[in-house]
Amino acid sequence: MAGKRKASASEDSDAPQKSAKTEDAQVPEYLVAGARQFGFMLRGLKLMQPKLEALNIPFFMVKGDPIKTIPDLCKKLKAGCLVTDFASLRLGREWRDEIAKKIDIPFDEVDAHNVIPCWIASDKREYGARTIRSKIHKKLPEFLHEFPKLEKQPKWDSKVKPDKVNWDAEIKAALEKGKEVPEVTWVKPGEDEAMKMLNGKDGFLSSDRLKKFSKHRNDPNQPEALSNLSPYYHFGHLAAQRAALEASKLRSKAKEDVDAFLEESVVRRELSDNYCFYVPNYDSIDACYDWAKESLNKHRDDPRENVYTLEELEKGETHDELWNASQKEMVHTGKMHGFMRMYWAKKILEWTNSPEEAIEFGIYLNDKWELDGRDANGYVGVMWSMGGIHDQGWSERAIFGKVRYMNEKGCRRKFKVDEYIELIKERLKKPA
Ligand SMILES: Cc1cc2nc3c(=O)[nH]c(=O)nc-3n(C[C@H](O)[C@H](O)[C@H](O)COP(=O)(O)OP(=O)(O)OC[C@H]3O[C@@H](n4cnc5c(N)ncnc54)[C@H](O)[C@@H]3O)c2cc1C
């Protein structure tokens, strides 16, 4: 069951905007997305179009500034209402707010992105997983249901028909424009591929991979223990609800693993949307809790043993081989292992001039190179690592203040660091 609410001017409409040049652009720019991300999105849409048409649902592709093109399309179609999916990030919220001001038909927002609609899961910023977990679990019986079957619609009888989309040209233009960040092929776009990744042959749920999730998901040498579903969730090729429904069916066989998977893909993921939705300056140190802000400020002038430029970081040219391996993993494959993302972000805090610079570099690199980047999970990941969001204070130390610290020694206690560095070296020799 999806939750619906009026999509009107909302809490964070005054928030500053990040880069999005959509006016007149052939291929819109969106938060440093490149060929990797636009290619995945467009190829997924191309695969969706015939599925919709088989149900008599026409597919209109409009390009350019959505604040202009969506109201124009509504007018052209003489639409009776407009329905949008939920977005927790500023840019998506601003688009919805501005569109709401320009149309005079009902405009509803449906959260199909989460299992429990964000505003129903909680009506306020949650402190952490421990405060939102019980709220989510209490509401799961109401919302975690099978989707209604899609019925074939009556034939589209409007005089306004969609223009034919030249997919090849669209994809070619996107790939050319974003070529600095090339596509990857190990994860293929579209609903069918997402379902294969979930429970096809060797899929996450249908192989022995699920049974590794609770014990081995933090071991970068066992990447098969992870689901690889985040790009599908991000681009809407797979609903987190579908994955949760399928995983729940396996609880009697692998209770601990299913519960751990639901903790990540429902509780933690919805906590990320909760943070971004209720905290408009979600990527600023001002959004941190007082204990973190105060101690980061107290230590902002601490001497740094190593300071790297954005370029050095981007190229993976630091003194730390482990860090370089994870950076190169992300650049080459579009996916850094989840455990390494924490270490990676914390080292950026240690090796830059200020927490502000660290947050800026971390978000930039994450959004540019991760296929699942530009997502609430990414902003929370960076802010958890660098600003203690959803975490607690730890013993105070240089630069980090009370924000949780991680070092290579700790990694060595958890997993075979040299094996991971070798694994990535081998991975870099193969096409992504
Ligand atoms: C610095 C940093 C940056 C990150 N950037 C992103 C990002 O840009 N996009 C993104 O989707 N995730 C991000 N994460 C969260 C997490 O690392 C990824 O979701 C996960 O690695 C994706 O791989 P997977 O699908 O195989 O995950 P699995 O481990 O199989 O988990 C299943 C799903 O649970 C959710 N999930 C897992 N870990 C987290 C988490 N810590 N917080 C919230 N949800 C989680 C994801 O939706 C994921 O697809 C980041 C974490 C950190 C620390």
Side-chain angles (χ1 to χ4, degrees):
M1 184 174 144
K4 175 181 104 169
R5 63 177 213 138
K6 286 236 88 42
S8 55
S10 75
E11 355 348 70
D12 56 351
S13 55
D14 291 330
Q17 290 302 297
K18 287 214 151 184
S19 68
K21 292 184 207 149
T22 43
E23 202 95 57
D24 302 327
Q26 179 71 4
V27 179
E29 287 174 23
Y30 184 77
L31 305 181
V32 299
R36 181 168 294 173
Q37 297 88 0
F38 268 120
F40 196 87
M41 181 184 82
L42 287 170
R43 290 180 200 280
L45 287 173
K46 179 184 176 186
L47 293 165
M48 191 180 68
Q49 185 186 23
K51 290 188 179 213
L52 290 175
E53 284 173 355
L55 296 165
N56 283 336
I57 301 170
F59 178 88
F60 288 85
M61 183 152 112
V62 288
K63 289 188 297 183
D65 186 349
I67 296 170
K68 182 168 177 342
T69 55
I70 300 293
D72 285 353
L73 183 66
C74 289
K75 220 182 207 171
K76 201 165 136 194
L77 290 173
K78 299 195 174 64
C81 78
L82 177 64
V83 180
T84 180
D85 195 4
F86 169 70
S88 61
L89 302 187
R90 279 195 300 269
L91 193 55
R93 298 241 49 84
E94 196 206 63
W95 285 343
R96 284 158 180 76
D97 289 344
E98 292 304 313
I99 289 168
K101 285 183 205 157
K102 288 197 168 174
I103 57 175
D104 52 10
I105 52 176
F107 184 14
D108 289 333
E109 184 166 24
V110 177
D111 187 355
H113 179 70
N114 291 301
V115 179
I116 319 287
C118 184
W119 56 90
I120 293 177
S122 170
D123 59 3
K124 60 172 201 285
R125 173 185 184 171
E126 291 293 337
Y127 199 87
R130 78 187 150 75
T131 65
I132 203 172
R133 188 175 293 116
S134 62
K135 294 184 180 177
I136 286 182
H137 281 285
K138 222 195 257 163
K139 290 175 182 130
L140 276 181
E142 187 187 342
F143 287 94
L144 187 55
H145 290 300
E146 194 45 65
F147 294 103
K149 198 172 162 356
L150 277 176
E151 302 287 346
K152 191 161 181 166
Q153 300 299 302
K155 218 167 175 316
W156 180 255
D157 61 2
S158 163
K159 282 196 189 102
V160 187
K161 308 274 186 238
D163 291 333
K164 195 171 166 2
V165 181
N166 185 342
W167 288 109
D168 291 344
E170 294 295 340
I171 292 168
K172 197 171 159 213
L175 299 192
E176 177 54 29
K177 186 157 190 202
K179 64 186 171 204
E180 190 193 346
V181 183
E183 286 188 289
V184 294
T185 57
W186 65 271
V187 51
K188 297 192 169 47
E191 184 187 8
D192 296 346
E193 291 293 336
M195 287 306 289
K196 276 193 219 162
M197 191 68 97
L198 178 67
N199 58 12
K201 185 176 171 290
D202 302 326
F204 176 63
L205 298 180
S206 44
S207 61
D208 57 0
R209 289 170 51 201
L210 171 67
K211 292 205 169 143
K212 293 184 171 185
F213 194 77
S214 72
K215 286 209 174 72
H216 302 296
R217 71 178 182 282
N218 282 329
D219 181 354
N221 291 318
Q222 300 198 50
E224 73 283 1
L226 305 179
S227 69
N228 292 333
L229 293 174
S230 57
Y232 296 115
Y233 294 156
H234 176 81
F235 288 99
H237 300 178
L238 179 75
Q241 180 156 341
R242 165 60 57 216
L245 282 168
E246 299 302 319
S248 299
K249 291 178 192 162
L250 302 170
R251 185 179 268 114
S252 62
K253 289 186 192 142
K255 185 177 178 307
E256 259 181 49
D257 301 289
V258 169
D259 288 348
F261 178 69
L262 296 180
E263 168 71 15
E264 299 294 354
S265 59
V266 180
V267 176
R268 299 277 168 175
R269 192 166 161 279
E270 301 212 3
L271 178 63
S272 298
D273 267 340
N274 169 280
Y275 170 68
C276 291
F277 184 59
Y278 289 114
V279 185
N281 58 345
Y282 47 76
D283 48 0
S284 156
I285 189 177
D286 296 334
C288 297
Y289 306 123
D290 288 345
W291 65 260
K293 227 178 338 195
E294 280 160 18
S295 70
L296 284 170
N297 278 331
K298 186 172 149 198
H299 290 275
R300 66 167 53 245
D301 296 326
D302 288 354
R304 270 85 170 143
E305 210 173 304
N306 300 287
V307 174
Y308 294 107
T309 62
L310 179 61
E311 200 187 349
E312 287 165 332
L313 293 170
E314 191 156 22
K315 288 185 177 156
E317 289 175 352
T318 74
H319 66 283
D320 180 339
E321 264 200 84
L322 173 60
W323 192 92
N324 295 346
S326 68
Q327 169 68 20
K328 287 176 185 168
E329 178 182 28
M330 173 172 73
V331 167
H332 187 64
T333 69
K335 182 186 183 186
M336 188 191 297
H337 187 280
F339 181 83
M340 289 310 302
R341 294 191 200 204
M342 298 186 271
Y343 178 77
W344 172 86
K346 285 185 178 289
K347 291 293 132 183
I348 297 179
L349 175 62
E350 195 174 326
W351 300 336
T352 42
N353 292 303
S354 65
E356 287 80 4
E357 189 175 77
I359 293 170
E360 189 193 327
F361 287 5
I363 288 176
Y364 172 80
L365 294 172
N366 186 80
D367 284 358
K368 181 171 174 184
W369 295 104
E370 296 283 17
L371 182 55
D372 63 15
R374 306 152 323 286
D375 189 282
N377 280 348
Y379 296 101
V380 168
V382 169
M383 296 303 288
W384 177 89
S385 308
M386 300 184 182
I389 293 293
H390 301 150
D391 202 0
Q392 63 184 58
W394 295 75
S395 51
E396 194 162 347
R397 57 181 307 129
I399 306 171
F400 284 75
K402 291 182 181 167
V403 171
R404 186 196 296 246
Y405 178 69
M406 278 173 85
N407 65 5
E408 202 206 296
K409 237 188 194 167
C411 291
R412 285 194 183 275
R413 280 196 298 273
K414 277 195 173 291
F415 68 95
K416 292 183 176 138
V417 163
D418 299 327
E419 204 174 285
Y420 170 72
I421 294 170
E422 279 312 305
L423 187 84
I424 299 306
K425 273 190 193 150
E426 287 307 309
R427 190 73 182 84
L428 295 181
K429 288 181 195 159
K430 296 182 195 144

